[in-house]
Amino acid sequence: MFKNKIFKNKIFRKQQLKFMVLNLISFTVIFTIFGLIVFSQVQNTLFSKTDEELLMVKERINDHSPNDFKTPPPNDDSENVPRQNDWPKNPRIIVIKWDKNDNIVNQNEIGTSFYEDYLEDYTPDKTNLDTITNTNVNNLYPFRYILFEDTHDDDEVVYTQLMINIDAEQNILNNFSKLIILCSSIFILLSISASYYLSKKMMKPIIHSWNKQAEFVENASHELRTPLTIIQNKLELMLTTPHEKIANKFENIALSLSETRRLSKLTTDLLTLARADSSETQLEKKSIHVDSFVKSVCSPYIEIAESQDKHFWLKLNSDIMMNADETRLHQLLVILLDNALKYTGEHDSIGVKTYEEDHKVVFEISDTGIGIKKENIPYIFDRFYREDRARTRESGGIGLGLSIAQWIVSAHSGSIKVSVNENKGTTFKVKLPK
Ligand code: ADP
């Protein structure tokens, strides 16, 4: 038993670890995808602004006459004065004009120091015409540029390159990526504890149903073993006196038979519940006249009650039709009526009442029997639960009747409630949709 518990705990822990790893992987993937999306979105937004600026200047250059950009001769004194165009120049954009031999023709316009510092050894990459590209001038300064063939009929200028420094954007992106990495790391750390918590929560119903199943199997085997042992003992006893007459062994045979009957009922009930658990049993609903149906189910019980000196009364107020599985509804009433008979004594009364409430059909089975202790009411629908084991065994009780009753009711989307009568006994109230 102890070994079994250790083994069980090991399996649970292994499963919980699996859940935790699975949760953690899911969280990490989600955060990573989220981070990448946010990062690429920010990058796009930042560069779309610079790209817009580049394309706008390109368009303006294409729209202007070639003379607007024509660089004045180098020895001209007015050369250092920037040329005035009819549109304001974007101070962030450097316009470089290349000739056929990859020489810059507007050196003066660019500024000598900029030219000497950055562009002296720089050659344009003509394979990437008309596409906005990133470059690192001197492997240090990030620029975004567009190189295009000058559409104007100019002898000197063959290519125009528009460059924009993206140091600020790059800085923002670097800081942003650091922030995202930091946040993701914090989130992943947090998700470790969240995964642990979630995996524990996910394990709870599994452990619960595992324990319930184990308890069920244990109870079932115990219930099966007891009658089998009794039958085996009685048969063995009879074998010791093979020449004895059956009449003399009447008691042993009767007991064995009653235990066999018990076994048969037990296996049928177990099968019903197993099928209910696996949702194998389908209801076969049909139209039933409530009061006539209850009357026919109760009629043998009226006779039994009479023979046991008990009073049986009927108050049928549901002259209506309802849609239900006849066999299951019959089984439900039989379980409740059997119990009412089992747990009442001489001169007690048993009553069945039908009526409509909230557009539903109500079946009330009440008795003035031994009743159920209030503190035990929450357990009476549990499998194999019996208030008084010794006593119920005598009366043939196994403790599965009410579990089956509860399944039948919930399969019909109804409800079953039990209450302790004010005077004496118990009332079961079953409410089913029409
Ligand atoms: P059993 O086969 O033992 O009757 P049930 O599941 O039908 O199993 O009932 C579970 C327990 O509920 C019973 O053992 C009994 O203690 C209690 N019980 C059920 N119906 C009644 C009733 N009408 N009066 C008193 N006790 C009841």
Side-chain angles (χ1 to χ4, degrees):
M1 189 79 181
F2 183 64
K3 230 176 171 179
N4 198 12
K5 206 172 172 190
I6 295 178
F7 174 69
K8 203 169 75 183
N9 286 345
K10 217 171 154 186
I11 293 179
F12 288 159
R13 240 178 284 135
K14 217 170 153 186
Q15 190 57 41
Q16 187 179 344
L17 194 74
K18 263 190 202 165
F19 278 145
M20 195 178 145
V21 171
L22 208 73
N23 280 333
L24 195 62
I25 291 174
S26 318
F27 279 135
T28 312
V29 169
I30 291 169
F31 288 142
T32 314
I33 292 175
F34 179 73
L36 286 176
I37 291 174
V38 172
F39 182 79
S40 71
Q41 209 53 36
V42 170
Q43 192 177 31
N44 282 348
T45 316
L46 278 175
F47 287 140
S48 72
K49 181 85 184 80
T50 57
D51 293 355
E52 220 174 79
E53 287 176 35
L54 284 174
L55 291 175
M56 204 161 74
V57 173
K58 181 190 169 203
E59 222 165 87
R60 279 178 176 167
I61 288 174
N62 284 340
D63 288 350
H64 274 80
S65 79
N67 291 335
D68 283 347
F69 289 96
K70 194 171 178 184
T71 317
N75 52 359
D76 190 342
D77 252 7
S78 60
E79 76 209 65
N80 294 330
V81 183
R83 289 186 64 78
Q84 284 300 307
N85 296 307
D86 55 352
W87 48 274
K89 274 188 178 165
N90 185 334
R92 284 188 74 197
I93 293 178
I94 300 151
V95 185
I96 306 169
K97 291 169 187 300
W98 303 93
D99 64 12
K100 278 181 222 146
N101 309 318
D102 290 348
N103 294 319
I104 296 176
V105 292
N106 65 336
Q107 236 180 73
N108 296 336
E109 224 175 274
I110 295 165
T112 320
S113 66
F114 184 83
Y115 173 78
E116 281 170 2
D117 287 349
Y118 304 112
L119 300 174
E120 216 161 16
D121 302 322
Y122 182 78
T123 43
D125 173 14
K126 287 175 190 162
T127 53
N128 253 344
L129 281 184
D130 282 317
T131 5
I132 296 174
T133 321
N134 279 357
T135 184
N136 255 332
V137 177
N138 285 354
N139 281 333
L140 210 61
Y141 299 100
F143 279 87
R144 212 159 157 77
Y145 74 87
I146 183 164
L147 183 69
F148 55 95
E149 250 177 88
D150 212 322
T151 49
H152 295 283
D153 193 24
D154 195 309
D155 291 344
E156 283 176 88
V157 180
V158 178
Y159 293 103
T160 299
Q161 181 168 8
L162 302 176
M163 286 181 98
I164 190 162
N165 182 272
I166 51 165
D167 226 1
E169 283 85 352
Q170 209 62 57
N171 261 340
I172 293 175
L173 277 181
N174 287 345
N175 287 340
F176 190 68
S177 64
K178 275 184 206 153
L179 185 75
I180 282 196
I181 290 171
L182 184 78
C183 285
S184 297
S185 314
I186 293 172
F187 277 138
I188 287 167
L189 279 179
L190 283 177
S191 65
I192 292 177
S193 30
S195 307
Y196 177 72
Y197 174 75
L198 281 178
S199 63
K200 245 188 147 168
K201 268 222 124 123
M202 284 159 103
M203 280 309 288
K204 248 188 180 166
I206 296 176
I207 294 176
H208 181 72
S209 51
W210 178 299
N211 287 341
K212 275 212 121 171
Q213 195 66 22
E215 196 186 320
F216 180 70
V217 172
E218 207 177 306
N219 280 329
S221 5
H222 179 77
E223 290 300 327
L224 287 167
R225 208 171 47 203
T226 317
L228 277 174
T229 316
I230 296 173
I231 295 168
Q232 191 185 352
N233 284 344
K234 295 294 162 198
L235 288 176
E236 276 171 1
L237 202 69
M238 282 196 275
L239 268 181
T240 56
T241 51
H243 303 296
E244 198 79 56
K245 281 183 182 160
I246 288 179
N248 295 339
K249 295 288 171 188
F250 176 79
E251 235 178 75
N252 287 345
I253 295 171
L255 193 70
S256 301
L257 252 179
S258 112
E259 289 302 322
T260 316
R261 254 182 245 118
R262 192 180 159 80
L263 265 180
S264 164
K265 183 174 172 359
L266 181 65
T267 42
T268 314
D269 284 356
L270 285 175
L271 206 64
T272 307
L273 283 172
R275 285 193 180 140
D277 284 347
S278 61
S279 310
E280 230 178 71
T281 319
Q282 298 285 329
L283 294 186
E284 281 169 28
K285 287 191 181 178
K286 65 176 193 180
S287 197
I288 298 168
H289 184 266
V290 179
D291 284 351
S292 339
F293 179 73
V294 172
K295 222 176 186 173
S296 73
V297 178
C298 288
S299 75
Y301 286 92
I302 296 172
E303 281 172 31
I304 301 171
E306 251 173 43
S307 70
Q308 293 178 353
D309 258 341
K310 293 172 188 171
H311 171 61
F312 200 108
W313 55 264
L314 280 172
K315 244 186 226 168
L316 305 177
N317 298 313
S318 291
D319 189 15
I320 51 158
M321 303 296 288
M322 75 177 289
N323 214 18
D325 184 319
E326 197 177 340
T327 320
R328 296 296 170 197
L329 193 60
H330 185 274
Q331 192 179 7
L332 168 69
L333 292 177
V334 164
I335 290 169
L336 299 176
L337 289 168
D338 268 346
N339 279 349
L341 274 178
K342 256 191 273 174
Y343 303 110
T344 43
E346 267 180 29
H347 309 301
D348 273 329
S349 63
I350 298 161
V352 178
K353 201 158 106 181
T354 63
Y355 57 95
E356 278 180 72
E357 192 180 82
D358 310 325
H359 305 290
K360 288 182 177 166
V361 184
V362 177
F363 302 86
E364 250 182 46
I365 291 96
S366 47
D367 63 66
T368 56
I370 57 166
I372 304 170
K373 283 190 196 126
K374 264 208 170 109
E375 66 266 27
N376 292 333
I377 284 184
Y379 311 111
I380 60 159
F381 293 102
D382 289 354
R383 292 173 185 189
F384 294 107
Y385 178 80
R386 280 162 290 179
E387 238 189 339
D388 181 347
R389 281 186 172 253
R391 195 179 163 156
T392 41
R393 192 167 201 293
E394 270 169 39
S395 58
I398 301 166
L400 291 177
L402 288 182
S403 312
I404 295 174
Q406 195 181 38
W407 162 68
I408 295 171
V409 170
S410 65
H412 280 88
S413 316
S415 65
I416 178 165
K417 280 187 188 132
V418 56
S419 56
V420 178
N421 292 342
E422 260 178 41
N423 302 330
K424 203 176 158 238
T426 324
T427 298
F428 283 89
K429 181 175 173 180
V430 175
K431 212 169 174 182
L432 298 179
K434 285 192 223 167

